[in-house]
Structure formats: C-alpha cells, structure tokens
Amino acid sequence: MSLKPREHDRKYGELDHVIRAYVGHRADDDEPLTAYLRHTWRTRPWAIPVAEEQLRAYADNPPGRLRLRLGEFYPVPDVGLPDAEIQAWLVRLADRLKESVETGQAPPPATPRTRWEWHARFPELAQFLGGWFSQDMPDEFEDHDAAVQDYLDTTDSGLVAQLTGELHDLLTLPLDDSDHALAVAELGMEVDPPAPYTPGAWLSELAARLRGRSADAVAP
C-alpha cells in the first residue's frame, strides 16, 4: 500500500520541498536550490538540516522493486537525469544544504525567481488567484468583483488577513507591469484583470479594498 500522509511527511516532508522546487527545471539549474535556501532561511531555518538528512537517507536507501510496486517511496520528478545519476545528484544537494548551514550563508533577499518560490512566499495569494481566477472564472462569476466577494464571504477572516499581508509584501517588491503579469501567472491567475487595470494596478486596488474592509471591521 502507498505511504500514509504522516509517514510520508516523516520520511520525505522536507525533501519534498527541495525536490518540488525543481519541477520544471533541470538538475543542473542552480536557481531552484537557491530559491529553496532563500525562502527557508527566511521562514524555517531549522528545516534545512532536516532536508539534508532526508536527502541523504533517500540517496542511501533508494526504493527497490517491491517498494516501487507498492508505492511506498517518494517519486522523484523528471529533472533530466538518468536514473543511475539521481542518487549522486541528491547527495550533491545535501552537501549544498550542509555547507549553507555550516557557513551560515543564506542567499540575499530577492524577488522570487521560480514558481515554487512564488507559491512558498505567497501561499494564500496563490490560493486566491488559482482558486477564484482560473480560466473557469467567467463561467462561475459575473465579474471580478463577484469573485472577490465570494472569496471574502467564504474564507476565514484570518486567511483574508494573511492575503492582505501577502498583497502588501508583493506590492513592495521592485516589479514593473510585466513583472506583475508574470507574478500573477505564476501564482495561478488564468484570466486578465478587469479593464482598464494592469495586473499591478488591480493588485493595488484589491489591497486597498481589503485594507478598507479591515478598517471597517475594527471601527467602533
């Protein structure tokens, strides 16, 4: 039988973050691991040695035929390497993580550069854009405002507050209009913003709307 979620997380939970950072990238691309380190040093530095340990454990004990057949293993996605080279690649990743921890060297702050990093840094914004502004949005809602209102009506206030903070974080990044278009696409938005807004202008308008809503909620 396949791994249960708790067992998966215990054995591969942090390894999964590292490997998913490489989805859509090749093994020789340095940016995914840099993105993982940049974000994880900022949010969960304790997790980096856990990732190193899980990577080494997986490399030392790759799944055999029985575990493959039963699904009791972590499936490494295609990163452009033959199977015979995967173990060595995992060890190299573990060595990089170890070096970062031992030297205390973290990548400097920067705008996200991979899809994984966009989603890791802005998880609720990704949920909002991917869930309410997919290609099906025009069939489900009258317009963008109706989709936003549905999110607000059906989402816990704590998550709405998280979305407000993430919008503020995103809008403080040094992004131009094309960068904002890339950001919302990476975060799952599949429709254009409402006319006449650019993606950045629409995000700014949305942030102002949410801040106003928060102010109204705490007004005496």
Side-chain angles (χ1 to χ4, degrees), residues 29-46:
D29 187 349
D30 190 58
E31 192 59 59
L33 192 63
T34 300
Y36 170 82
L37 286 169
R38 178 167 49 239
H39 180 73
T40 309
W41 267 112
R42 177 173 176 254
T43 58
R44 302 179 304 124
W46 54 265

Side-chain angles (χ1 to χ4, degrees), residues 28 42 90 117 143 175 185 198 204:
D28 57 0
R42 177 173 176 254
L90 295 175
E117 191 176 8
D143 53 24
L175 304 177
T198 64
S204 296

Side-chain angles (χ1 to χ4, degrees), residues 121-189:
R121 183 163 174 176
F122 302 105
E124 187 57 25
L125 183 54
Q127 176 68 20
F128 169 70
L129 293 176
W132 276 262
F133 293 94
S134 71
Q135 61 185 352
D136 297 326
M137 188 276 281
D139 297 325
E140 297 177 356
F141 302 104
E142 180 179 351
D143 53 24
H144 290 68
D145 283 345
V148 172
Q149 191 59 53
D150 184 77
Y151 169 84
L152 295 175
D153 291 342
T154 59
T155 303
D156 180 82
S157 60
L159 293 175
V160 175
Q162 181 177 331
L163 173 64
T164 305
E166 290 180 13
L167 279 168
H168 177 75
D169 186 10
L170 177 61
L171 291 168
T172 61
L173 296 174
L175 304 177
D176 60 22
D177 284 344
S178 62
D179 295 327
H180 281 126
L182 172 64
V184 297
E186 291 283 32
L187 290 166
M189 189 172 184

Side-chain angles (χ1 to χ4, degrees), residues 80-147:
L81 288 177
D83 291 345
E85 297 180 19
I86 291 292
Q87 286 176 266
W89 175 65
L90 295 175
V91 171
R92 289 196 297 273
L93 294 181
D95 289 343
R96 282 281 307 281
L97 297 182
K98 180 181 180 181
E99 178 184 11
S100 181
V101 171
E102 290 183 341
T103 62
Q105 294 297 311
T111 298
R113 295 173 184 168
T114 68
R115 182 177 180 84
W116 176 89
E117 191 176 8
W118 281 109
H119 282 251
R121 183 163 174 176
F122 302 105
E124 187 57 25
L125 183 54
Q127 176 68 20
F128 169 70
L129 293 176
W132 276 262
F133 293 94
S134 71
Q135 61 185 352
D136 297 326
M137 188 276 281
D139 297 325
E140 297 177 356
F141 302 104
E142 180 179 351
D143 53 24
H144 290 68
D145 283 345

Side-chain angles (χ1 to χ4, degrees), residues 45-86:
W46 54 265
I48 299 174
V50 175
E52 180 208 343
E53 179 181 351
Q54 291 183 355
L55 284 163
R56 293 193 192 282
Y58 189 94
D60 290 343
N61 298 282
R65 292 182 179 178
L66 177 60
R67 290 172 65 200
L68 286 170
R69 182 167 61 83
L70 295 177
E72 295 181 349
F73 74 106
Y74 179 86
V76 177
D78 183 12
V79 290
L81 288 177
D83 291 345
E85 297 180 19
I86 291 292

